[in-house]
Amino acid sequence: MNGENNPLADWMKLDNAAKIYPAITGSELTGVFRITVTLASPVSLPALIKASEEVSGLFPFFSVELCRGFFWYYLEYNGKPPRIMADSGPHCQPFPRTMNGELLYRILVRGSSLSVEFFHILTDGGGALFFTKSLLNHYFIHSAGITSLPFPEVQEGPLPGSSKDLFTQHYGKGMPPPAVMPKAWHLPFRLRDAPRFMVTEFEVPAEKLSALARESGSTITEYLAATLLFVLQDIRIASGKGSPHIRVQVPFDLRRRYGVYTLRNFSLFAMPSIDIRMGLYTFEEILREVKITMHMMTDEKRIRQIISRNVSKERNPLIRIIPLFIKSPVLRMAYNRFGPSQFTSTITNMGRVTPTGPASELMLSMSVTPPPPHREIKITAGLITLGVNTVITFGSVTGNREVERGFVTKLTSAGLKVKINKTQE
C-alpha cells in the first residue's frame, strides 16, 4: 500500500526534495545535519531511552529505512525506535546504506549535550526541530518530573497530513523555468585531509543581534547573509581570479507561508548575489541586494515557478522509466557539474526557540550544524537562538579560517560581543 498519505502504511515515496540525495550523498557529502541542545546537567540515559521510545511512536513515518526500487528509492516502515549513541566521532557522519533496519535519524549523547542527527531524505530543519522539541518534552517529564511542558505547541504530536509531500500540490503545469544563473565563484582554499569536516561555533547576544538587524531595516537572516557576502567579497577581491558572481544560498521554510504542518521536506532557497564587475559593494549595498532578493524569491509566483521546475523533472516520462542503476550515476554527474556551480556558500537560520515553564532553566543553549558542504563550496553556516544567545555554526572542509575570522571581525566591528564556543574536528 502506498504510504504517501498514511503514515502507518508499508512504504512512502521520497518527497521531491529528497529524491536527489541517494544519488549524490556518500562518505563526505553526507546530507546529514544536526540539532544539539546543551543541558544544565548531564543527560539521563534512562530518561532519554524512555522519551525516545515514546516519541518515535508519535512519529511512525520517521521509523523508516531507505530501500532501493527499480526506478526510485523509497522509504519502508519498520517501526523501530532511533539508535542512541555515544557522541564520540565527527559530526554529521553518513547513515550506513548496507545496514538492514537503519533509520534515517539518530540520537547522540556526550555529557550534558543531547544531539539529534537527521538525513535530509527524511525531513528538513522545520521537521527536525518539531521532533527535537517533542523529544525534549518527554525527556524532561522523565528526567525532572516536569509536567509543565517547555514546548506546548508540539504536545499533541504530528498533525494529520504531516507525512504528505506538499511540493506536488503547488506544481503548476506550463510554468516557465527560472532564468539560468551564471556560474558562482568558489573559495580557492585547499581541502583538509580526510576526515575533512570541521565545526566551529560562535555565540552572540540574541537581543543585540536582533537590534542590530532591526536598526539596519532587515531581518537577522538578511543581516547575516549580507555579512557572509561581505566577507566573501573581500576574499574574492584579494584572490583576484574566478567568477565575478558571489552568491549565497539562503533556505526559507514554506510551512508558515502556506499554513501547513508537513514534517517532510518543504523549503526552498533564495540566492542573493553580487557581481563585482559592478564595483566594490559597501555592506549597506550588499544588505539592500539581499533584502530585494529575499523579497522577490519568497513571492508566491516565484515559489510556484521553482517548485514547478523541480517537480516537472520528477514527472518527466523519460526520467521516470530509466532504471535506478542508470539514473543514479547520471543524477550524480549532473549534480556535481551543475549543483555547486549555483552558489558560493549557504547560511540557514532555524529561528528562535522559546521554551516555557521550569524546564526552560534546564536548557543552556542550542546549535544547528549544517550538512558537510560539497568540496567546491567548502564552507557553510547555520544558526539558531535559544534564550539570550544565538549560536552560529560554521561547517567546513578546508583548513583555511579566513571566512570565519572575517565573519567574526565584521560582527565585532558592528558592536557585537562574539564568544567562540568550540571547534570540533
Side-chain angles (χ1 to χ4, degrees):
M1 180 169 58
N2 185 334
E4 188 172 352
N5 297 314
N6 181 359
L8 294 179
D10 297 329
W11 66 278
M12 294 192 299
K13 296 179 181 179
L14 271 63
D15 63 59
N16 178 259
K19 278 187 164 64
I20 188 68
Y21 280 100
I24 67 172
T25 51
S27 60
E28 294 188 3
L29 189 69
T30 66
V32 176
F33 64 98
R34 165 187 289 225
I35 297 176
T36 297
V37 186
T38 301
L39 305 178
S41 59
V43 175
S44 166
L45 193 56
L48 181 59
I49 291 172
K50 189 170 289 188
S52 68
E53 291 173 347
E54 292 173 351
V55 175
S56 67
L58 297 175
F59 292 74
F61 44 89
F62 274 24
S63 294
V64 292
E65 56 188 288
L66 183 65
C67 297
R68 187 184 183 97
F70 188 76
F71 295 108
W72 295 102
Y73 283 90
Y74 63 96
L75 301 175
E76 187 170 82
Y77 175 72
N78 67 21
K80 295 182 178 181
R83 284 199 292 160
I84 299 177
M85 308 165 58
D87 189 8
S88 57
H91 291 191
C92 304
Q93 290 297 291
F95 284 84
R97 301 276 184 94
T98 57
M99 186 182 296
N100 290 336
E102 178 73 5
L103 300 186
L104 304 181
Y105 73 109
R106 58 190 167 222
I107 299 171
L108 303 104
V109 176
R110 179 190 294 173
S112 59
S113 292
L114 190 163
S115 301
V116 191
E117 291 186 340
F118 301 86
F119 196 175
H120 239 310
I121 286 175
L122 185 65
T123 189
D124 59 13
L129 190 56
F130 191 104
F131 177 89
T132 304
K133 288 178 177 179
S134 300
L135 180 65
L136 289 168
N137 276 348
H138 286 254
Y139 173 78
F140 287 120
I141 290 173
H142 298 298
S143 67
I146 289 174
T147 56
S148 178
L149 300 179
F151 304 108
E153 68 271 19
V154 301
Q155 65 180 330
E156 300 299 327
L159 297 175
S162 293
S163 63
K164 289 183 179 179
D165 175 9
L166 295 184
F167 285 111
T168 56
Q169 295 186 10
H170 297 277
Y171 166 74
K173 189 175 182 180
M175 291 284 287
V180 176
M181 294 182 290
K183 184 177 180 179
W185 172 73
H186 289 146
L187 291 161
F189 306 151
R190 293 181 59 184
L191 297 174
R192 297 180 71 220
D193 292 336
R196 305 186 200 281
F197 192 48
M198 177 178 179
V199 174
T200 304
E201 286 186 4
F202 304 99
E203 187 178 287
V204 299
E207 292 308 320
K208 290 187 177 180
L209 175 61
S210 179
L212 192 60
R214 191 165 53 248
E215 290 166 7
S216 301
S218 66
T219 65
I220 291 173
T221 301
E222 291 166 345
Y223 188 89
L224 294 180
T227 301
L228 183 55
L229 270 170
F230 183 83
V231 172
L232 292 170
Q233 175 185 238
D234 282 350
I235 298 171
R236 168 59 183 84
I237 295 295
S239 74
K241 58 184 178 180
S243 170
H245 303 282
I246 307 170
R247 194 174 297 121
V248 170
Q249 183 175 253
V250 184
F252 60 93
D253 195 340
L254 295 174
R255 294 173 181 82
R256 185 179 299 176
R257 180 175 191 87
Y258 290 113
V260 295
Y261 302 97
T262 184
L263 296 181
R264 304 184 78 185
N265 290 290
F266 198 48
S267 54
L268 290 178
F269 303 95
M271 297 274 203
S273 65
I274 56 175
D275 182 345
I276 62 171
R277 294 175 300 180
M278 307 286 286
L280 189 68
Y281 285 74
T282 65
F283 177 76
E284 290 72 25
E285 290 172 331
I286 291 175
L287 183 57
R288 184 181 63 209
E289 294 290 326
V290 171
K291 290 166 61 178
I292 291 171
T293 302
M294 294 298 295
H295 182 74
M296 288 177 57
M297 297 307 296
T298 55
D299 173 75
E300 167 68 18
K301 290 182 173 60
R302 300 274 184 170
I303 290 172
R304 289 188 66 237
Q305 183 185 38
I306 296 171
I307 290 177
S308 299
R309 176 200 60 188
N310 295 345
V311 173
S312 66
K313 293 178 181 178
E314 174 189 339
R315 294 187 174 186
N316 184 303
L318 180 61
I319 294 177
R320 289 169 66 95
I321 65 172
I322 296 175
L324 191 60
F325 72 90
I326 298 175
K327 188 181 297 176
S328 286
V330 170
L331 287 173
R332 184 162 51 250
M333 286 188 294
Y335 175 81
N336 285 331
R337 181 175 180 184
F338 300 111
S341 69
Q342 299 294 299
F343 58 99
T344 307
S345 186
T346 299
I347 186 165
T348 179
N349 184 1
M350 296 275 284
R352 180 182 287 271
V353 176
T354 309
T356 61
S360 63
E361 302 297 322
L362 304 180
M363 291 175 276
L364 303 181
S365 66
M366 291 186 78
S367 64
V368 55
T369 304
H374 190 280
R375 56 176 53 199
E376 293 291 327
I377 303 303
K378 298 184 179 68
I379 296 174
T380 57
L383 62 135
I384 192 167
T385 300
L386 175 72
V388 299
N389 293 314
T390 297
V391 175
I392 303 169
T393 305
F394 279 89
S396 172
V397 293
T398 175
N400 190 298
R401 303 269 75 87
E402 286 184 53
V403 173
E404 294 93 323
R405 283 197 299 267
F407 197 89
V408 169
T409 298
K410 179 60 180 168
L411 293 183
T412 53
S413 68
L416 280 180
K417 183 179 179 181
V418 181
K419 173 188 173 186
I420 300 178
N421 272 1
K422 66 178 181 179
T423 298
Q424 186 271 343
E425 299 189 26

